[in-house]
Amino acid sequence: MDRLWPTDDAPDVDDELESVYDYPDDLRRPWVRVNFVSSLDGAVTVGGRSKGLSSRSDMRVLGLIRDQADVVLVGVGTAIVEGYRGIRRTERRLERRARFGLSEVPPIALVTRHCSLPLDSPLLTDTVVPPIVITCEAAPIGRREALAEAGADVVVAGGDEVDLHRALEALDARGLRRVACEGGPTLFGNLIEQDLVDELCLTVSPLLTSGDASRISHGPLIEHPRRMRLLSALRADDSLLLLRYGRIDE
Ligand SMILES: NC(=O)c1ccc[n+]([C@@H]2O[C@H](COP(=O)([O-])OP(=O)(O)OC[C@H]3O[C@@H](n4cnc5c(N)ncnc54)[C@H](OP(=O)(O)O)[C@@H]3O)[C@@H](O)[C@H]2O)c1
């Protein structure tokens, strides 16, 4: 066993945070990095939202993860509950992304079988770049057309269900390989089921919450749990843990 914290020579990573969260170089396929915050007892929300679990340090890393991504992938449930809008241009973001050789802001790609994003969503009305709506043929054609008319780039990936492999191929075709997935639990469960998770960034917030909140993924039990390995473990604000796990290719 190793003791990660406290250590006698714990390095201060503030100036190196960008390199801690770098994507691999020269990606030849989409790389799916998933980011969640959870309480100590495994809750993914407090009072129905993630805000009560988050903190300044968690938001700082979330911002960095967005700044390093080509696209932010999210389930429509999370986008609605968390009040998503298009990602903002800020001075810091523009500076960082120019340095990383990325577009000014990443688009948000929404996964939705039913095309249930309301047409007045700030994702459509308050955004610098159009959102990508990833759906399937079973979605009502009228909803698909209405979302396209409202400015979304609508991708049909799959027949009865959204085929997440095809969804990632569609992002790849748009040159969007650095994927930052912000959940929620349903989408994460589907990604695990399809063995599409390359990395999990998990913030463990020092809170006990009880209640009936979901955990960070749900869906059908998979036969062979995927083993991951620890890539980094940072401590912030005294008791917050920022963990990063990567897939082990077997
Ligand atoms: N703590 C955190 O870090 C964190 C992060 C994210 C979310 N959350 C919380 O999680 C809760 C939302 O959970 P959720 O499980 O409902 O979130 P979700 O996965 O974002 O949304 C579920 C909905 O998204 C669509 N969807 C997701 N995966 C799909 C797939 N593979 N194929 C087709 N459609 C798919 C479906 O919408 P349609 O019905 O339109 O088909 C589904 O009903 C919220 O309370 C949010 O605050 C917490």
Side-chain angles (χ1 to χ4, degrees), residues 35-39 43-51 53 58 74-82 84 110-117 134-136 161-164 182-191 202-203 214-216 218:
N35 186 32
F36 270 98
V37 58
S38 151
S39 70
V44 78
T45 51
V46 176
R49 295 184 57 184
S50 60
K51 194 173 173 205
L53 298 169
D58 177 53
V74 70
V76 76
T78 296
I80 293 172
V81 171
E82 300 279 349
Y84 270 54
L110 289 148
V111 184
T112 170
R113 181 173 184 273
H114 299 97
C115 276
S116 52
L117 183 73
I134 302 173
T135 188
C136 57
E161 305 285 341
V162 174
D163 178 335
L164 292 172
E182 297 183 357
T186 304
L187 178 57
F188 186 31
N190 297 149
L191 288 166
L202 177 64
T203 301
S214 164
R215 61 192 183 96
I216 65 173
H218 61 73

Side-chain angles (χ1 to χ4, degrees), residues 9 44 66 68 125 170 193 203 218 224:
D9 57 349
V44 78
R66 285 183 162 194
Q68 289 180 324
T125 60
E193 189 192 349
T203 301
H218 61 73
H224 302 292

Side-chain angles (χ1 to χ4, degrees), residues 8-28:
D8 291 337
D9 57 349
D12 183 335
V13 292
D14 272 1
D15 295 335
E16 296 164 35
L17 209 53
E18 287 181 2
S19 61
V20 172
Y21 284 90
D22 257 355
Y23 277 79
D25 289 335
D26 300 327
L27 288 176
R28 292 179 190 279

Side-chain angles (χ1 to χ4, degrees), residues 57-245:
S57 299
D58 177 53
M59 293 307 289
R60 183 175 164 204
V61 168
L62 177 84
L64 173 59
I65 288 173
R66 285 183 162 194
D67 289 350
Q68 289 180 324
D70 289 320
V71 60
V72 170
L73 181 70
V74 70
V76 76
T78 296
I80 293 172
V81 171
E82 300 279 349
Y84 270 54
R85 60 184 184 199
I87 293 175
R88 289 271 191 265
R89 273 195 196 101
T90 63
E91 229 172 86
R92 177 171 204 181
R93 174 157 291 137
L94 293 174
E95 181 278 318
R96 258 188 188 156
R97 293 182 64 88
R99 205 159 22 84
F100 300 153
L102 302 177
S103 65
E104 287 191 343
V105 289
I108 293 188
L110 289 148
V111 184
T112 170
R113 181 173 184 273
H114 299 97
C115 276
S116 52
L117 183 73
L119 294 175
D120 61 356
S121 162
L123 278 168
L124 292 158
T125 60
D126 184 9
T127 184
V128 180
V129 288
I132 301 168
V133 171
I134 302 173
T135 188
C136 57
E137 281 162 22
I141 184 79
R143 294 288 310 163
R144 279 196 257 159
E145 285 172 359
L147 286 167
E149 268 168 38
D153 173 6
V154 178
V155 172
V156 177
D160 280 349
E161 305 285 341
V162 174
D163 178 335
L164 292 172
H165 289 272
R166 281 179 59 185
L168 292 177
E169 280 166 20
L171 296 180
D172 193 12
R174 288 162 174 72
L176 307 172
R177 288 190 174 160
R178 299 152 70 107
V179 180
C181 175
E182 297 183 357
T186 304
L187 178 57
F188 186 31
N190 297 149
L191 288 166
I192 294 173
E193 189 192 349
Q194 300 292 312
D195 196 19
L196 287 170
V197 178
D198 293 296
E199 214 179 303
L200 172 65
C201 299
L202 177 64
T203 301
V204 181
S205 205
L207 295 168
L208 294 172
T209 62
S210 191
D212 58 0
S214 164
R215 61 192 183 96
I216 65 173
S217 79
H218 61 73
L221 186 65
I222 57 170
E223 202 181 335
H224 302 292
R226 165 153 284 286
R227 183 167 294 280
M228 306 286 277
R229 82 187 161 93
L230 184 66
L231 300 177
S232 62
L234 309 182
R235 188 186 79 146
D237 309 335
D238 191 48
S239 297
L240 188 87
L241 280 181
L242 296 145
L243 307 173
R244 200 161 64 87
Y245 283 86

